[in-house]
Amino acid sequence: MMKRIVFSLILLSLVACGADAQKKNFVIGFYNVENLFDIYDDPGKNDNEFLPDGTNKWTEARYQKKIHNIAEVIKAMAKDNGCYHTVLGVSEVENRLVLEDLVVDPQIADAGYEIVHYDSPDRRGIDVAMLYRPDEFTYLDSESIPFSFEGTKVPITLDEEEQENFRTRDVLMVHGRIAGEDVAVYVTHLPSRIGGKGGDLRSLGAEIIYNHAMGMMRRYPGIKIIVMGDMNDNPTDDSQKVWLHSRKTIAETGEEDFFCPFESMLADGYGSLAYRGEWNIYDIISVNYNLAAAPDGGLKIKKIVKNRYYGRVFKKPFMTQQSGQYKGTPFRTFSSGTFIGGYSDHYPTYIVIGK
């Protein structure tokens, strides 16, 4: 049995990171790192809970434990795959400082990650960002795309005043090249489900991403596009199926659609977070037709789990609550207001692309 396990891990490494430079594969992932705040007061942000004298008693020691934990997860994924992520999108980060502290953590410093981050108007003070390896991803340009209600076809429930006062995370778009091919990566954290609301706002966010992506496809014919993020929706919800035009299989994916590998995984019982005993996959990565159905010799998405799934939800025992009410769910930083020193309330997800 042990030999079989070791062989499986070696096989997964070979699948993810081929030795032949012409056939090299690239790991592309997303991780909601759950409230990665520094310990300093930012008057422009609602960060009072995450201060040394705040509700969470967010001390330097707790902050450093959080940085260590997130780096530990990134390192564990690299160990499983035989290489670091080429691109890793993250959400729930307060600012660039926390990312700078993360990428120099001794566990992952050898990855040499560069950072793309913009401050956005979210009232909680959390942003999205992207880490990338400059030896594998050539950065060209990027854009922070704000939420706008102008011209939307989504039925919006907010009145004009509420729309004017609405604030959330911007969408990050990073344009670069992998293996000589144009690639655009969108990183998002769509509006919350708190109070059972926001379905129209998540659909709006998906519509904004989709329209921008179609513009990139017109501007750069053949470009490979990846949309990732905490969608606060499952792959089967309207934001994904209707407004992002996501499809469950490559065969169903048209030239202006996106293929979502996590829809099949959700149907088969996989999850990246649990709520009231129900597993969901909100941490979604989808790819456009050019990446889903590329001809031989071009970058395309590859199967990586059981030769069946094109995506992976990464979970390990150390990232999972081992006892108590929430046993078996992601091991988070706080539980019922008490610091328990975990990792995140989400598991990371990733795909592999290659030639």
Side-chain angles (χ1 to χ4, degrees):
M1 177 63 73
M2 181 59 69
K3 288 182 179 179
R4 183 182 300 173
I5 293 172
V6 172
F7 176 77
S8 297
L9 290 175
I10 293 172
L11 182 61
L12 181 59
S13 295
L14 291 175
V15 168
C17 303
D20 185 338
Q22 296 302 314
K23 297 181 180 179
K24 184 174 178 63
N25 296 319
F26 306 89
V27 183
I28 311 293
F30 174 78
Y31 194 13
N32 179 329
V33 296
E34 190 201 16
N35 294 324
L36 182 52
F37 282 79
D38 62 29
I39 64 170
Y40 308 107
D41 185 20
D42 185 337
K45 296 182 178 181
N46 185 15
D47 61 355
N48 293 337
E49 288 183 310
F50 289 91
L51 297 174
D53 59 353
T55 307
N56 291 327
K57 296 181 173 57
W58 197 241
T59 61
E60 178 69 19
R62 290 184 173 185
Y63 171 65
Q64 291 299 333
K65 171 65 171 171
K66 179 75 173 182
I67 290 288
H68 173 89
N69 284 358
I70 299 305
E72 184 180 0
V73 173
I74 295 172
K75 186 67 174 183
M77 288 190 283
K79 183 178 180 180
D80 255 29
N81 292 321
C83 64
Y84 286 106
H85 284 60
T86 298
V87 167
L88 178 63
V90 292
S91 69
E92 293 201 16
V93 295
E94 183 182 11
N95 50 37
R96 187 180 180 92
L97 172 63
V98 300
L99 295 166
E100 290 174 346
D101 287 345
L102 175 62
V103 299
V104 299
D105 184 281
Q107 298 172 96
I108 62 170
D110 57 327
Y113 280 123
E114 297 286 343
I115 300 165
V116 185
H117 167 266
Y118 293 84
D119 285 313
S120 65
D122 179 76
R123 296 196 188 280
R124 285 186 58 211
I126 54 173
D127 303 324
V128 298
M130 194 185 96
L131 309 180
Y132 69 94
R133 290 179 54 185
D135 58 327
E136 294 187 342
F137 181 91
T138 302
Y139 173 91
L140 296 175
D141 54 78
S142 59
E143 182 179 352
S144 189
I145 307 167
F147 265 60
S148 171
F149 295 90
E150 185 176 353
T152 182
K153 295 180 181 178
V154 177
I156 300 296
T157 59
L158 304 184
D159 61 31
E160 288 188 14
E161 183 178 355
E162 289 172 324
Q163 291 179 27
E164 289 178 5
N165 292 324
F166 179 71
R167 301 288 184 273
T168 192
R169 286 76 59 174
D170 289 350
V171 176
L172 173 64
M173 188 285 295
V174 184
H175 175 211
R177 291 197 181 99
I178 296 176
E181 297 191 33
D182 270 306
V183 176
V185 180
Y186 292 81
V187 187
T188 189
H189 185 180
L190 295 182
S192 171
R193 279 179 166 249
I194 291 176
K197 299 180 180 179
D200 56 332
L201 301 176
R202 293 188 292 278
S203 290
L204 172 64
E207 180 192 44
I208 289 168
I209 295 168
Y210 181 80
N211 288 342
H212 195 283
M214 292 302 104
M216 290 292 287
M217 288 173 61
R218 290 189 293 271
R219 186 176 177 185
Y220 302 98
I223 191 171
K224 309 297 173 68
I225 297 181
I226 302 161
V227 177
M228 64 171 69
D230 178 353
M231 305 298 179
N232 272 308
D233 269 339
N234 278 308
T236 49
D237 287 317
D238 280 358
S239 67
Q240 306 303 299
K241 298 296 290 183
V242 176
W243 299 100
L244 192 64
H245 298 243
S246 75
R247 304 293 177 252
K248 186 177 182 179
T249 66
I250 293 176
E252 296 174 87
T253 305
E255 293 186 4
E256 296 186 348
D257 295 331
F258 282 85
F259 165 55
C260 178
F262 293 93
E263 185 174 349
S264 295
M265 299 186 74
L266 178 68
D268 288 347
Y270 288 84
S272 63
L273 76 159
Y275 181 67
R276 294 181 178 177
E278 182 179 348
W279 283 98
N280 303 278
I281 301 182
Y282 290 174
D283 306 274
I284 298 170
I285 307 171
S286 298
V287 301
N288 71 336
Y289 177 85
N290 294 338
L291 194 48
D296 291 344
L299 280 177
K300 65 189 306 181
I301 192 168
K302 297 195 169 185
K303 291 181 180 178
I304 54 174
V305 176
K306 301 179 181 178
N307 199 33
R308 178 178 179 184
Y309 299 110
Y310 287 92
R312 185 181 183 192
V313 177
F314 185 81
K315 56 185 293 187
K316 295 288 184 180
F318 76 88
M319 301 161 58
T320 302
Q321 189 76 36
Q322 296 299 314
S323 61
Q325 180 182 358
Y326 301 108
K327 181 179 179 180
T329 65
F331 183 22
R332 58 196 304 164
T333 308
F334 287 88
S335 179
S336 301
T338 300
F339 180 77
I340 57 175
Y343 297 78
S344 173
D345 54 351
H346 292 241
Y347 291 127
T349 55
Y350 63 79
I351 63 171
V352 170
I353 63 175
K355 295 188 175 183

